[in-house]
Amino acid sequence: MKRIFFSVCVFFSLLNMHAQVHDPVKWSFELKDLPSAEKEIWMTAVIEKGWHLYDMNLPENGPVSTSVSFEDLRGAELIDKPVASLPPSEVFDQAFNMQLRWYENTVIFVQKIKVTDYRKFVVSGEVEYMVCNDEMCLPPERVPFSFDRKNIKNIPEVGGAVADTSVADISDEESGRQAAHDKTSVTTVEPLPGSVRPDVADGEDVSLWAPVISELRALGDETSSAMNRSFIYIFIAGFLGGLLALLTPCVWPMIPMTVSFFLKRTKSRKKAVSDALLYGLSIIVIYLAMGLLITGIFGAGALNGLSTNAAFNIIFFLLLVFFAVSFFGAFELTLPSSWTNKMDRKADMTTGFMSLFFMAFTLVLVSFSCTGPIIGALLVEAASQGNITGPAVGMFGFALALAIPFALFAVFPNMLQNMPKSGGWLNSVKVTLGFLELALAFKFLSVADLAYGWGILDREVFIVFWIVIFVLLGFYLLGKIRFKHDSELKYVSVTRLFMSAISFAFAVYMTPGLWGAPLKAISAFTPPLSTQDFNLYDNEVQAKFDDYEIGMKYAAKVRKPVLLDFSGYGCVNCRKMEASVWTDPLVKQLIEKDFVLITLMVDNREKLPDVVEIEENGKTRILKTTGDKWSYLQRSKFGANAQPYYVILDNKGYPLSPSYAYDENISKYIRFLENGRKQYRLKTE
């Protein structure tokens, strides 16, 4: 809830900032020129009524504390830390669920310094702060300040003479800098040449964006495994979809009819078998061509954008609901009969392979009313993975499963006698698929909801929909619910009884999720636990930072390694890792105790304050959203683009061990963390 509140506040505040720049805090800076070597820097904040400015050194996982950093400190040294002119108000903030301290109206922060060399005196830095009111929080802001020797008039006398400033040398300057570092964690900014940072501003550290691809390779890193696994996932999904399509009333009756045709077409059984094999190959070619066509139309960049684009995900949601309603029998999805007739004539007019090819095309058209929704769901899922070859891989798996029985029964025709006869059970399979497609539809609505922060489909709402869907499926299988094309169910078969029991059991399994249970079996589909309004489960791991630079700055301050997590709202495997691996007690302890966790959502659709134009691989690209920025960071710095992607960094942004992709092996992940922790300690000792 804390992260959600903060994210929503920042989101709405950014929308407000586009319309009107609003800064409820006015800062002024003054160097109090006292008659001694000790001076005072007064940082005065005048706060608008209704707003509050947070105090320094607040607890972790809360709002951004007010802090002062000194970027340049010459001819002076700091004395202690900044002190506020009045005590803060202490209030328990329900939004952040912690005791907080803040100031209202006016507050002055005083930093004492001691001048060691009046001729070289330069002090510059910035104040970082965050303000909130009862309705929103504004993003953290930074205000710079600077002073030099022109601001000093009172130079103390030593033994009746003006102090000799010539004795101050470079060692004094260095000692002053060291003192500043010890007391306030000075940020020394040294921009590196050739930095890839897309939005670098003056005075910011760009070295954190420097590429480390060669360093990762030197550590034995491999980043292609996650991509390979995603292809396997898409292929398996396609293959299972093809098996389900076989059980529909449009395809199942076609198997014995088509195989018998081949066996009767020629007197030679060998020729009949070869024709059936070519027929199956034609089915694969046709569906594979469809997958390649989808890829060619959209391209790699567009497919990646589909994963979180609100319009496309809502279209996917409506499309799957449309398919589900079709499976329930409200209407039939049919292609124009002229297409089928034309393919039939082509099959009759041609011979050889082309004849078989047109027969296969006829099957594809005739069975579209049943296979169309399954293909649509498959292509939607493959496209949402963002891989350019995903639709082709998925369609290959689908076609392979669809073609196997035609070839198998042609080789072993006696098996046709043992096939179950067509009947009402085929329509039941079709309706069952309709329920499954309806459940899958909510996944795409959830992705759009998460990426844009609408908050309309939180985790418990999603689970409620799934519970209702699978309870209704259970009643349907028991014959308590009937659709238009269903035949009367005189008795419940053993198969239906077991399937309904599984459906009801699944609904019962999901029920504890309404109170925050992790539900590891469906974690890939449900929204993350952080969206749960009422959560009794406290074993989840949440990142303290969702900004790379802020998190790295904090890690350097507390001297801990960084666990950088590239994730996504639409990332199925990310949710699996969070629910199956991060909830392990030892993993949770290691992450929270020994690392600073930074999670970067590559599909975050929050608009950047300014559109950024970068050069990548010889092409100009436009970064418009926060997700674009983090995706570019992953590609340019680490040479990877799959999620989840974990890498352990030192405080300068360099890897300490090989990266880690999707793998639910808890022991392996623990070794990954322990190795990174060990290398950090060796490097910093």
Side-chain angles (χ1 to χ4, degrees):
M1 281 300 297
K2 291 177 282 186
R3 291 182 60 201
I4 296 173
F5 175 78
F6 179 73
S7 299
V8 171
C9 289
V10 171
F11 176 72
F12 282 109
S13 64
L14 286 173
L15 292 179
N16 292 335
M17 289 170 65
H18 283 292
Q20 178 181 359
V21 177
H22 181 212
D23 188 358
V25 180
K26 306 299 181 185
W27 287 91
S28 61
F29 302 92
E30 181 182 1
L31 178 65
K32 292 294 183 179
D33 191 9
L34 303 179
S36 66
E38 292 187 3
K39 312 293 181 181
E40 292 179 350
I41 299 176
W42 284 31
M43 296 162 278
T44 304
V46 179
I47 310 161
E48 286 186 11
K49 186 177 180 180
W51 294 83
H52 50 263
L53 172 75
Y54 288 106
D55 192 16
M56 297 183 170
N57 304 313
L58 293 180
E60 296 180 5
N61 208 22
V64 176
S65 304
T66 300
S67 62
V68 182
S69 61
F70 290 86
E71 297 175 355
D72 197 353
L73 187 63
R74 285 177 283 171
E77 61 185 27
L78 302 180
I79 301 176
D80 298 326
K81 297 179 180 179
V83 178
S85 60
L86 70 158
S89 301
E90 295 195 20
V91 180
F92 183 84
D93 193 307
Q94 293 184 349
F96 289 99
N97 195 30
M98 63 174 60
Q99 194 78 13
L100 296 177
R101 306 184 305 276
W102 65 51
Y103 301 97
E104 297 177 313
N105 301 322
T106 302
V107 62
I108 303 174
F109 297 98
V110 180
Q111 172 68 65
K112 292 184 177 181
I113 63 173
K114 181 180 180 181
V115 180
T116 58
D117 188 337
Y118 290 92
R119 294 192 303 178
K120 297 181 180 180
F121 177 78
V122 173
V123 175
S124 65
E126 63 181 13
V127 175
E128 183 180 16
Y129 68 97
M130 176 176 166
V131 290
C132 297
N133 61 16
D134 293 335
E135 298 179 354
M136 68 172 64
C137 292
L138 295 183
E141 293 283 351
R142 293 182 176 91
V143 180
F145 62 85
S146 63
F147 303 100
D148 56 27
R149 61 183 181 180
K150 296 178 182 178
N151 300 103
I152 298 179
K153 305 298 182 184
N154 290 320
I155 301 177
E157 295 184 354
V158 179
V162 177
D164 182 6
T165 60
S166 63
V167 297
D169 56 18
I170 191 66
S171 61
D172 296 320
E173 182 178 342
E174 290 299 324
S175 64
R177 290 188 179 184
Q178 183 61 41
H181 176 80
D182 294 339
K183 296 177 184 295
T184 62
S185 297
V186 174
T187 302
T188 303
V189 181
E190 297 178 357
L192 296 182
S195 168
V196 295
R197 175 162 178 184
D199 57 346
V200 61
D202 292 340
E204 292 186 337
D205 188 357
V206 300
S207 62
L208 296 177
W209 286 71
V212 294
I213 301 172
S214 59
E215 287 82 353
L216 281 169
R217 289 174 179 169
L219 293 169
D221 185 83
E222 295 181 359
T223 60
S224 60
S225 56
M227 182 75 73
N228 293 336
R229 274 190 288 269
S230 66
F231 285 151
I232 294 173
Y233 166 78
I234 295 172
F235 174 80
I236 293 175
F239 190 82
L240 293 177
L243 294 179
L244 290 173
L246 286 171
L247 302 177
T248 59
C250 307
V251 179
W252 186 263
M254 298 288 291
I255 298 175
M257 293 172 55
T258 305
V259 173
S260 298
F261 170 79
F262 285 127
L263 293 176
K264 295 176 182 178
R265 184 180 180 181
T266 58
K267 296 180 180 180
S268 170
R269 182 173 180 273
K270 182 178 180 181
K271 182 68 166 59
V273 171
S274 65
D275 285 350
L277 292 176
L278 288 174
Y279 180 75
L281 180 62
S282 298
I283 294 174
I284 295 176
V285 170
I286 291 169
Y287 280 111
L288 184 59
M290 291 173 59
L292 292 173
L293 182 63
I294 295 293
T295 298
I297 292 174
F298 289 103
L303 288 177
N304 191 52
L306 293 181
S307 62
T308 54
N309 182 277
F312 275 104
N313 274 278
I314 291 175
I315 290 173
F316 290 163
F317 166 72
L318 296 175
L319 186 65
L320 292 181
V321 172
F322 177 78
F323 287 154
V325 173
S326 171
F327 272 164
F328 291 153
F331 52 84
E332 289 290 334
L333 289 174
T334 57
L335 295 174
S337 58
S338 59
W339 293 13
T340 306
N341 295 334
K342 188 174 183 180
M343 287 299 107
D344 277 334
R345 288 195 298 270
K346 287 284 186 181
D348 293 337
M349 293 170 58
T350 56
T351 58
F353 176 75
M354 290 306 297
S355 173
L356 297 173
F357 180 82
F358 285 119
M359 287 179 63
F361 218 118
T362 303
L363 171 68
V364 172
L365 296 179
V366 170
S367 63
F368 180 78
S369 61
C370 293
T371 60
I374 300 175
I375 293 171
L378 172 64
L379 289 176
V380 164
E381 180 65 19
S384 69
Q385 296 293 315
N387 296 323
I388 187 170
T389 55
V393 172
M395 292 300 282
F396 174 71
F398 178 87
L400 181 63
L402 203 62
I404 284 176
F406 290 96
L408 186 65
F409 286 120
V411 175
F412 304 102
N414 293 334
M415 295 175 60
L416 287 171
Q417 300 175 3
N418 300 322
M419 283 182 59
K421 303 299 181 183
S422 300
W425 68 274
L426 288 175
N427 190 71
S428 298
V429 171
K430 189 176 176 181
V431 173
T432 301
L433 291 177
F435 279 107
L436 297 179
E437 291 225 348
L438 187 60
L440 181 62
F442 283 98
K443 172 183 179 292
F444 294 97
L445 182 61
S446 171
V447 170
D449 177 66
L450 289 168
Y452 286 86
W454 296 331
I456 61 176
L457 196 63
D458 289 345
R459 186 173 183 268
E460 63 270 29
V461 178
F462 183 97
I463 293 173
V464 165
F465 277 114
W466 270 38
I467 290 175
V468 171
I469 288 171
F470 283 94
V471 166
L472 291 176
L473 174 58
F475 281 122
Y476 171 79
L477 292 170
L478 290 176
K480 304 301 181 183
I481 300 175
R482 286 177 57 191
F483 291 94
K484 182 171 62 174
H485 298 297
D486 286 323
S487 56
E488 184 179 356
L489 188 65
K490 296 181 180 180
Y491 63 90
V492 177
S493 66
V494 175
T495 302
R496 278 179 171 267
L497 179 64
F498 274 97
M499 290 183 64
S500 65
I502 292 172
S503 185
F504 284 127
F506 187 51
V508 173
Y509 165 78
M510 290 187 288
T511 303
L514 299 174
W515 292 272
L519 304 181
K520 296 182 180 181
I522 61 171
S523 59
F525 300 95
T526 60
L529 276 167
S530 58
T531 66
Q532 188 100 13
D533 288 332
F534 183 65
N535 189 358
L536 299 178
Y537 183 76
D538 60 356
N539 235 17
E540 62 178 320
V541 177
Q542 292 189 10
K544 291 184 173 65
F545 299 96
D546 58 5
D547 185 280
Y548 174 59
E549 288 144 322
I550 294 176
M552 291 295 293
K553 193 174 185 180
Y554 175 81
K557 182 178 180 181
V558 298
R559 297 185 178 181
K560 286 185 178 181
V562 168
L563 175 58
L564 192 57
D565 164 34
F566 286 96
S567 183
Y569 295 117
C571 174
V572 172
N573 291 336
C574 300
R575 302 292 86 77
K576 288 183 179 180
M577 290 292 292
E578 292 162 6
S580 301
V581 179
W582 280 10
T583 53
D584 178 81
L586 183 53
V587 173
K588 173 179 167 63
Q589 180 183 1
L590 281 169
I591 293 176
E592 294 182 342
K593 181 181 177 182
D594 298 325
F595 295 89
V596 173
L597 176 60
I598 305 174
T599 294
L600 304 179
M601 293 292 186
V602 300
D603 52 10
N604 188 334
R605 311 306 290 188
E606 270 189 31
K607 298 293 183 182
L608 291 172
D610 297 300
V611 174
V612 180
E613 187 175 287
I614 55 97
E615 291 289 333
E616 185 178 17
N617 299 326
K619 296 182 179 180
T620 301
R621 290 176 55 88
I622 302 297
L623 309 182
K624 297 181 180 180
T625 66
T626 301
D628 292 341
K629 180 180 177 181
W630 301 144
S631 181
Y632 174 69
L633 172 66
Q634 185 184 7
R635 296 193 309 271
S636 61
K637 185 175 179 69
F638 304 105
N641 62 356
Q643 294 83 42
Y645 181 81
Y646 309 98
V647 60
I648 299 175
L649 305 177
D650 63 16
N651 301 136
K652 294 183 179 180
Y654 288 95
L656 295 167
S657 63
S659 63
Y660 193 98
Y662 171 65
D663 190 336
E664 295 184 58
N665 188 319
I666 294 177
S667 299
K668 188 176 178 180
Y669 198 81
I670 290 174
R671 290 195 298 271
F672 162 70
L673 294 175
E674 289 178 339
N675 182 42
R677 180 183 62 179
K678 177 184 176 182
Q679 296 302 319
Y680 180 81
R681 290 175 177 174
L682 292 174
K683 198 170 185 179
T684 55
E685 285 179 356

